[in-house]
Amino acid sequence: MKTIPLAIIGAGPAGIAAALTAARHGLKPVVFDEQPAPGGQIYRALESTPLRDPELLGQDYWHGRSLIEALRRESVDYRPGHMVWQLTRDGEIGVLAGDTAALIRAERIVLATGAQERPFPVPGWTLPGVMGAGAAQVLLKTSGVVAQAPMVLAGSGPLLYLVAVQYLRAGAKVAAILETTSKENRRLALAHIGGAIRGWRYLKKGAELLRELKRAGVRHERHVVALRAEGDETLTGVGWRTADRPDDWQHCEATTLLLHHGVVPNVQMTRALGGAHDWSEQQLCWRPRRDAFGRSDIENFFIAGDGGGIGGARAAQLQGELAALAALESLGHIDGPTLAREAAPARRKLDAELVVRPFLDALYRPGDSWRRPDDDVVVCRCEEISAGEIRRVAKLGCAGPNQMKSFTRCGMGPCQGRLCGLTVSEILAAENDQSLEQTGYYRLRPPFKPITLGQLASAAGGAPEAPARNETETAS
Amino acid sequence: MKPTALVIGGGLHGASAATQLARSGFRVTVVEKNYAGRHASGVNAGGVRRLGRHPAEIPLAVAALARWQRLETLIGDDGGFHPCGQIKVAENDEDMARLVSRAAEVRELGFDHEIILSREELRRRVPAVAPHCVGALACDGDGAANPYRTLTAWRRQSQREGAIWREGVQVTRVDRVPGGGWRLSTDHPDLPGLDADWLINCAGGWAGGLCGALDECVAMQPQALMLTITERVTPFLGPVIGSASRALSFKQMDNGSVMIGGGIAGCIDTGGEHADVRLAGLAQNVQTALGLFPFMRDVRVVRTWAGIEGVTGDGIPVLGLSWRHPRLIHSFGYSAHGFQLSAITGEIVRDLALEREPALPIAPFDIRRFDSSSAAARASHTH
Ligand SMILES: Cc1cc2nc3c(=O)[nH]c(=O)nc-3n(C[C@H](O)[C@H](O)[C@H](O)COP(=O)(O)OP(=O)(O)OC[C@H]3O[C@@H](n4cnc5c(N)ncnc54)[C@H](O)[C@@H]3O)c2cc1C
Ligand SMILES: Cc1cc2nc3c(=O)[nH]c(=O)nc-3n(C[C@H](O)[C@H](O)[C@H](O)COP(=O)(O)OP(=O)(O)OC[C@H]3O[C@@H](n4cnc5c(N)ncnc54)[C@H](O)[C@@H]3O)c2cc1C
């Protein structure tokens, strides 16, 4: 197996910044990313998007251009279309490119795999036509195509407004925005207003987006307390109730419903590696443990960007620099004083970047009833397990998600628990009156994303068969 | 006063022993460091197989199957057992010759459960198998069950019989009490010490460590055995499929997913609680499977995992009394095929604790086979 000094997984802002930092210090890293082009979630398809008008996707998007150009220019072994589907603690990386699976070993690994959207289980969320707002945004960036039929966006968070505005500018018909942020949240967020004022740029941007939606005459419903996707085979409409009219279901026709309750770290890899994770009550998610430089508790592994806790694209970029510096230092490529000197400006900027987070997290915190839905709502989409079933099994004495899996197959489908993991842990914790830490999360196993048997077998290559074992030794 | 027994290990063999001991009048406590079924017993492939057993295991496996067939009356749940049959496929004439002589060997021992299938009969039973396969050895009545469900049913039954389960409690030390009996120390603040007359070692992959602490010689290693699960596929396969000459176990589950295993080893981290898969071994295993079912090439893998199992030097378990200490019984080292046997091992442990001769031959599983210094003692015992 080939061994390289430094591998970076992910070519979003964090991964690119890490790669550039290593290259600048004369170490050529290998960057694996499953996407065909660099940019990660925020700068997705930046080099190829048909939406070339800078006004359409906005300034924050085009900020990524300089990063991506540098990646193309510098001495970085960037490998697009390379999906990492397995990792071991001793640095073995299983990579799939096209139909070929291969193995490579790295002495240091920076995980920069980003975030995913928080699961948002509501009645009917499995209907065709319902999708995550972030996933829809990816479609918009890559294809530039918008459907003419009416679309509704529901949930909360800055990305919700952003996606609405991006669709609007691209010519979509946005019928309504249903905002789930509660009055209570607005009050609680005020406690963090100090940080917010220092991070005023964010607030200003949010306000501008809202104004733009208003100008376009988009219906804006606030304090939504219940939501359902309606339709038999596919989505035909959306129903909701608000805090002001708690007994009336209101309706609107729609063929697309985009749901969004913020993003949470993608913990597939850190979980599979058995790293320590802490529950963040502020961000309502698991965060892999990392120090100020992104060093994880797994030897030789570093974590950069939203995969370690949500800080946004600019923070991700700074964390990428820091993680690369720490990795270079642990390789002996730079010394301690150099690390300290080079890291200081990035750390200062990072602190300034993160100052607005407590305010945003408090304001856009999804309420309990959204995170722990009613009994009839499907939680595990792959195995069709409802919230009620999870509560029933909890009453049988099931204390954690792994036992839940053994009881019900919940979380064992192709999505590997990505779309139900948080919901299952939160429901179990509430039912058993336990903390999230006590309840835990799924033990995750490779492949991180599905791979075919043929692709997997290709990793065996022409290697000779393992010697036949005595037949009595063979498990059945 | 009732005699007391402490069972170390809340896997299938611990649960089976606890059930039978409690039913026979022992006060039983099962101590499990994680939760019931956390290791091999909850995550195995669920194969219920007499086919291909080591000759020494055949009598136990045959008796175990009789228990599986009425599991619901015994423990209140059938564990999801389906007698769908098990088939070991021959891919060439050499394989076939090997299977034919195996069938003859089993018949000579007085058993008739393994039968030879012709090429046509194999194709009739398994239409999807690759055309180059020339025949097979089959065992009707074998099949597969759901491991976690089975373990849960045994645990519940033992509790109905009066056994107490202490999960999340690790035994950290074992001492003999002067005058007989045992004292266990644990890592749990509420359970500093546990006393009992009998000690039952059902510690699975950790049993070797326990033996070390007890000054018992044994050749046993924990191993991480790997499994691969695919997405759902339209039903195409009834029986569980193995190979005459390659490490493979292949079956389609009720929900359509296909499970591929074969006792291929992954690795265990230094803490000893976390098993990791190894890509090279998995790839080999899957290549073997595709050799028999090439049409599966484009089916997606959704999950792989590894479970920790105690594997002995000679591939058969340790089941019997200790010869170093009175009132110590071993039941471990099932070496990747202990799921099926769990239906009977509890009865054997019970017989030993009642100090009566077990109804089945267990001499080959005696722990002294690993102790060169006591080879002589063993010879005198067996005669
Ligand atoms: C769907 C979605 C849309 C978003 N849109 C915006 C937006 O428009 N504006 C904004 O400010 N923030 C957006 N965010 C928030 C986003 O997390 C951050 O802004 C930023 O992209 C984080 O940067 P990162 O480098 O940490 O991760 P990312 O930018 O997410 O980059 C991670 C990269 O890792 C790669 N990767 C992941 N797993 C593997 C694997 N197994 N093998 C190989 N490669 C892998 C991915 O392909 C991706 O390119 C979005 C988040 C999501 C989930
Ligand atoms: C992947 C895989 C596939 C398999 N497939 C099959 C199959 O198809 N058919 C078949 O017949 N068999 C199969 N097996 C084998 C079968 O699962 C095992 O033989 C059987 O489950 C062993 O049961 P056990 O009770 O001995 O061990 P375990 O289930 O491992 O139980 C031992 C328990 O002891 C506990 N323990 C250990 N030390 C201590 C301590 N000091 N204090 C407290 N608790 C302790 C452990 O936590 C553990 O839970 C497979 C095994 C694996 C791993």
Side-chain angles (χ1 to χ4, degrees), chain A residues 2 26 73 141 200-201 213 246 263 297 338 349 474:
Chain A
K2 199 179 154 200
R73 196 172 56 231
K141 287 172 183 170
W200 59 272
R201 243 171 21 95
L213 289 170
V263 299
D297 71 327
T338 311
K349 286 189 230 163
T474 306

Side-chain angles (χ1 to χ4, degrees), chain A residues 476, chain B residues 9 13 32-34 41 44-45 47 171 309 336-340:
Chain A
S476 52
Chain B
H13 294 283
E32 165 55 51
K33 63 182 159 61
N34 304 106
S41 298
N44 65 59
V171 175
E309 164 77 328
H337 40 264
F339 180 56
Q340 196 262 10

Side-chain angles (χ1 to χ4, degrees), chain A residues 476, chain B residues 8-14 31-34 39-41 43-47 53 169-171 202-204 206 225 227 307-309 334 336-340:
Chain A
S476 52
Chain B
I8 303 182
L12 277 159
H13 294 283
V31 188
E32 165 55 51
K33 63 182 159 61
N34 304 106
H39 290 292
S41 298
V43 303
N44 65 59
R53 289 266 168 193
V169 177
Q170 178 163 6
V171 175
C202 296
W206 296 263
L225 307 177
L227 289 174
I308 297 175
E309 164 77 328
Y334 288 90
H337 40 264
F339 180 56
Q340 196 262 10

Side-chain angles (χ1 to χ4, degrees), chain A residues 27-305:
Chain A
L27 189 111
K28 185 173 185 173
V30 179
V31 180
F32 297 109
D33 195 297
E34 62 183 320
Q35 293 301 324
Q41 297 293 4
I42 173 160
Y43 311 131
R44 181 67 73 87
L46 187 134
E47 294 164 312
S48 62
T49 182
L51 304 176
R52 300 314 294 178
D53 178 352
E55 291 297 303
L56 280 176
L57 292 169
Q59 249 178 35
D60 280 344
Y61 179 70
W62 292 103
H63 169 86
R65 176 180 276 161
S66 59
L67 265 184
I68 288 173
E69 284 171 358
L71 177 75
R72 295 289 191 192
R73 196 172 56 231
E74 299 297 331
S75 172
V76 172
D77 183 353
Y78 163 57
R79 302 192 192 171
H82 281 58
M83 190 258 272
V84 173
W85 67 274
Q86 194 223 2
L87 269 180
T88 63
R89 292 173 78 100
D90 49 11
E92 188 182 304
I93 309 175
V95 188
L96 180 73
D99 261 344
T100 313
L103 266 187
I104 190 165
R105 223 187 72 83
E107 289 172 49
R108 302 292 182 279
I109 297 179
V110 176
L111 302 175
T113 52
Q116 61 159 70
E117 288 183 274
R118 177 190 297 284
F120 193 158
V122 293
W125 71 310
T126 53
L127 283 174
V130 183
M131 66 195 293
Q137 185 201 34
V138 164
L139 283 181
L140 178 68
K141 287 172 183 170
T142 46
S143 72
V145 179
V146 297
Q148 284 314 303
M151 130 190 293
V152 171
L153 290 95
S156 67
L159 199 59
L160 189 71
Y161 302 146
L162 176 65
V163 175
V165 165
Q166 288 172 333
Y167 264 95
L168 204 60
R169 292 177 189 159
K173 182 169 174 330
V174 178
I177 296 209
L178 310 175
E179 211 178 318
T180 58
T181 307
S182 66
K183 291 179 188 166
E184 175 74 356
N185 278 12
R186 288 179 201 282
R187 196 178 61 72
L188 292 174
L190 284 181
H192 304 284
I193 193 71
I197 289 169
R198 275 184 282 152
W200 59 272
R201 243 171 21 95
Y202 279 90
L203 295 187
K204 184 161 154 279
K205 256 188 254 170
E208 281 166 9
L209 291 172
L210 265 179
R211 260 200 307 282
E212 186 170 345
L213 289 170
K214 203 163 175 184
R215 268 204 307 278
V218 173
R219 175 173 182 185
H220 189 174
E221 292 278 346
R222 289 175 193 271
H223 314 311
V224 169
V225 293
L227 181 72
R228 66 181 181 217
E230 297 166 345
D232 292 332
E233 303 279 280
T234 162
L235 185 79
T236 53
V238 179
W240 70 91
R241 290 186 286 120
T242 64
D244 304 330
R245 293 167 60 189
D247 299 324
D248 299 345
W249 279 100
Q250 307 182 54
H251 293 269
C252 150
E253 275 181 23
T255 52
T256 305
L257 170 61
L258 305 186
L259 297 174
H260 185 72
H261 262 159
V263 299
V264 295
N266 168 1
V267 294
Q268 300 297 106
M269 291 185 187
T270 47
R271 282 280 175 191
L273 287 165
H277 289 72
D278 300 303
W279 177 254
S280 163
E281 200 42 44
Q282 178 187 327
Q283 299 197 326
L284 295 172
C285 64
W286 296 103
R287 290 202 288 217
R289 205 169 287 166
R290 58 173 170 179
D291 71 6
F293 287 90
R295 300 181 186 102
S296 78
D297 71 327
I298 312 155
E299 209 182 337
N300 302 328
F301 281 82
F302 302 79
I303 302 164

Side-chain angles (χ1 to χ4, degrees), chain B residues 293-363:
Chain B
F293 298 96
F295 77 94
M296 293 277 295
R297 184 155 287 279
D298 294 326
V299 173
R300 295 181 308 167
V301 175
V302 296
R303 195 174 153 77
T304 63
W305 74 79
I308 297 175
E309 164 77 328
V311 178
T312 62
D314 53 9
I316 56 173
V318 174
L319 176 60
L321 288 165
S322 163
W323 295 91
R324 274 201 199 277
H325 304 286
R327 296 187 170 180
L328 166 62
I329 298 171
H330 297 296
S331 174
F332 68 85
Y334 288 90
S335 307
H337 40 264
F339 180 56
Q340 196 262 10
L341 294 177
S342 64
I344 186 73
T345 55
E347 294 178 34
I348 293 169
V349 170
R350 171 204 62 201
D351 289 344
L352 295 170
L354 291 172
E355 292 171 319
R356 63 190 194 202
E357 188 68 25
L360 292 157
I362 57 164

